[in-house]
Amino acid sequence: MNTHIINWGLATIFLLSCISLLIIYFSDYTTETLSARALPVAIFAGLLAIATAIAFRKPRTA
């Protein structure tokens, strides 16, 4: 049961980070002004995508 909560928690945080990254890019994004804000969010979203994929991975059947 706890793993189910953790999986959906990761998925929720991943969706929120992707939405915030899209908000940054669509708010008149210029590299000079918003790169300090966009780069950490992009790295966080990428690492969280990997963690979410591992968490939702189906166990192998023999």
Side-chain angles (χ1 to χ4, degrees):
M1 182 173 151
N2 287 336
T3 57
H4 184 71
I5 294 170
I6 292 171
N7 287 349
W8 286 107
L10 281 173
T12 303
I13 295 170
F14 174 65
L15 286 175
L16 289 174
S17 65
C18 287
I19 290 170
S20 65
L21 187 61
L22 288 173
I23 289 170
I24 290 171
Y25 279 127
F26 288 125
S27 64
D28 296 329
Y29 180 77
T30 56
T31 306
E32 295 83 18
T33 58
L34 292 178
S35 65
R37 191 184 309 169
L39 186 62
V41 174
I43 291 171
F44 180 72
L47 292 176
L48 198 57
I50 294 169
T52 306
I54 291 171
F56 275 93
R57 181 178 58 187
K58 302 254 188 226
R60 295 181 186 179
T61 56

